[in-house]
Amino acid sequence: MRIALSTGGGDAPGLNAVIRAAVLGAIDRGWDVLGVTKGYAGLLGEEDIVPLTRVTVRGIGHLGGTILRTTNRGNPFSYPVLQSDGSYKIVDRSDELIARASELGIEALISIGGDGSLSIAQQLTNKGMRVVGVPKTIDNDVSGTITTFGFDTAVQTALEAIDKLHTTAESHDRVFVLEVMGRNTGFIALHAGLAGSADVILIPEIPYDPERVCEKIVSRDLAGRHFSIVVMAEGAHEAGRAAGVLGASLPGQAVRVGGVAAQLAELIQERTGKESRSMVLGHLQRGGQPTGYDRLLATRFGGAAVRAVADAKWGHMVALQSPHIVTIPIEEALREQKRVDPNHDTVLTARATGVSFGD
Ligand code: F6P
């Protein structure tokens, strides 16, 4: 048996632990493993196909990033191809990819990625390719799995930032607005915000009113708490308004959202008279060593993906449904994006402990 692994979309701490576990698990069965580099580009002749051996995966389990490299601009079904006049044409290169995989003797592919990569995996399955998915996202926005690796590390990184901002905010009687990742979902903001005792948490699932945010800050001030911490997801937006768009996207890339913390900090300063600062945590949340929780989950996912290949679970992805790792149809996971339920106990507890969601 010869299988291949690929990592697609934005990276997440734990990808290397998945690769390591899958490679060792496959070798344990006597299989041969190839690595497709840079998303699917290796199967389109644009990047390399590399052998993955015990030696290649030695000592990588604790490292962030992905040894296979990745991209969020390589969808083979709508691939941006540079034209002679400098423009880009979107081309379907999926047949080419499938032909190349079969030339290389690849009998199954383990595709590790977020909703974008999983939807590509589903489309390849529909065309007859034998694919098993491993969900990956720091945003925790894939349905069907309680969580994915990378999320816990991102929350930990955001939490450290909140703790550090707290002491300087309190020393200076300032308001700090911290922007964390989460283009459509507020899990990072909610979990890090609540764990870090933020005063205001703003998430895309609960549109906010800046007046309510200012009221909370002023009421704290009147109560003798002269500083405030606002944690907002990059995709948080006011009621009736779209999320902030950040700069231009490259061909084949999703719209970049964010830039909202700076705007809100300015508005808070204007309306409350309190000195306000903003900070964008950005890609720090995607980097660094995975936490123990993420390393373990990623390793379990890698091992389970190999078992799913052995069981011919084509078009399925591994998922955490505690305490077990199960497999579910990718189609099922893609039906709806996982978002924060405004009635979830985490939100209710946050409200009960005095957190404002700006609504
Ligand atoms: O999907 C994960 C994510 O971290 C989003 O929260 C964020 O909008 C996006 O990646 C940023 O991606 P890029 O690396 O393209 O800036």
Side-chain angles (χ1 to χ4, degrees):
M1 177 89 162
R2 170 172 281 181
I3 67 164
L5 303 184
S6 76
T7 53
D11 65 344
L15 282 168
N16 281 326
V18 178
I19 295 170
R20 176 178 174 275
V23 169
L24 295 180
I27 291 172
D28 187 53
R29 289 172 182 266
W31 298 353
D32 195 22
V33 193
L34 297 178
V36 180
T37 61
K38 197 108 176 134
Y40 289 100
L43 281 175
L44 295 171
E46 313 233 340
E47 293 281 342
D48 298 329
I49 300 286
V50 294
L52 291 176
T53 64
R54 278 187 197 285
V55 174
T56 341
V57 300
R58 190 169 288 156
I60 65 166
H62 64 292
L63 301 179
T66 159
I67 58 163
L68 291 176
R69 294 157 56 233
T70 187
T71 176
N72 54 13
R73 293 188 281 126
N75 183 345
F77 289 89
S78 49
Y79 203 89
V81 177
L82 184 61
Q83 305 297 293
S84 51
D85 64 358
S87 66
Y88 281 86
K89 191 174 163 196
I90 300 299
V91 177
D92 180 351
R93 298 184 64 186
S94 57
D95 287 336
E96 202 185 315
L97 181 150
I98 292 169
R100 179 86 184 116
S102 110
E103 263 167 43
L104 290 164
I106 294 170
E107 293 163 79
L109 174 73
I110 295 179
S111 167
I112 312 160
D115 49 1
S117 309
L118 291 170
S119 123
I120 296 166
Q122 179 60 49
Q123 291 175 71
L124 290 172
T125 304
N126 295 344
K127 291 189 98 169
M129 201 163 165
R130 309 201 313 183
V131 189
V132 162
V134 175
K136 167 249 44 159
T137 153
I138 66 158
D139 292 352
N140 192 25
D141 56 2
V142 176
S143 292
T145 182
I146 289 173
T147 189
T148 52
F149 58 90
F151 174 63
D152 186 61
T153 309
V155 168
Q156 187 58 35
T157 300
L159 190 55
E160 280 165 23
I162 295 169
D163 288 349
K164 288 180 177 169
L165 290 178
H166 246 117
T167 54
T168 179
E170 189 159 12
S171 307
H172 283 267
D173 293 347
R174 280 177 173 160
V175 176
F176 269 89
V177 184
L178 175 68
E179 181 175 314
V180 298
M181 279 189 169
R183 55 168 46 238
N184 302 311
T185 58
F187 288 104
I188 297 177
L190 177 63
H191 287 220
L194 183 56
S197 309
D199 307 297
V200 179
I201 298 175
L202 304 175
I203 59 177
E205 294 87 342
I206 306 178
Y208 68 91
D209 176 347
E211 277 312 316
R212 300 276 94 75
V213 176
C214 293
E215 274 167 22
K216 172 73 185 174
I217 289 162
V218 169
S219 77
R220 278 176 55 77
D221 210 34
L222 293 173
R225 304 295 281 154
H226 301 302
F227 72 97
S228 285
I229 300 287
V230 179
V231 178
M232 71 189 305
E234 61 189 354
H237 55 86
E238 288 180 40
R241 292 217 185 163
V245 173
L246 196 62
S249 307
L250 292 168
Q253 192 173 45
V255 170
R256 294 172 61 208
V257 296
V260 286
Q263 289 168 16
L264 184 62
E266 208 171 303
L267 183 147
I268 291 170
Q269 183 162 308
E270 246 171 54
R271 296 201 190 166
T272 67
K274 289 207 63 71
E275 196 178 8
S276 304
R277 295 280 196 272
S278 63
M279 191 198 156
V280 179
L281 205 49
H283 291 79
L284 281 182
Q285 293 157 99
R286 293 228 303 248
Q289 292 197 332
T291 58
Y293 181 89
D294 280 341
R295 277 185 228 183
L296 177 62
L297 180 60
T299 300
R300 291 174 72 198
F301 273 2
V306 169
R307 291 193 292 277
V309 169
D311 293 343
K313 295 272 189 173
W314 315 128
H316 281 60
M317 68 169 207
V318 298
L320 175 67
Q321 291 183 4
S322 292
H324 303 292
I325 305 286
V326 299
T327 56
I328 61 168
I330 293 176
E331 233 166 24
E332 201 178 295
L334 292 178
R335 215 162 282 148
E336 218 183 329
Q337 185 170 48
K338 181 163 73 180
R339 305 192 81 206
V340 172
D341 170 4
N343 295 314
H344 191 272
D345 76 78
T346 317
V347 177
L348 301 182
T349 297
R351 288 192 193 277
T353 56
V355 172
S356 164
F357 284 86
D359 58 342

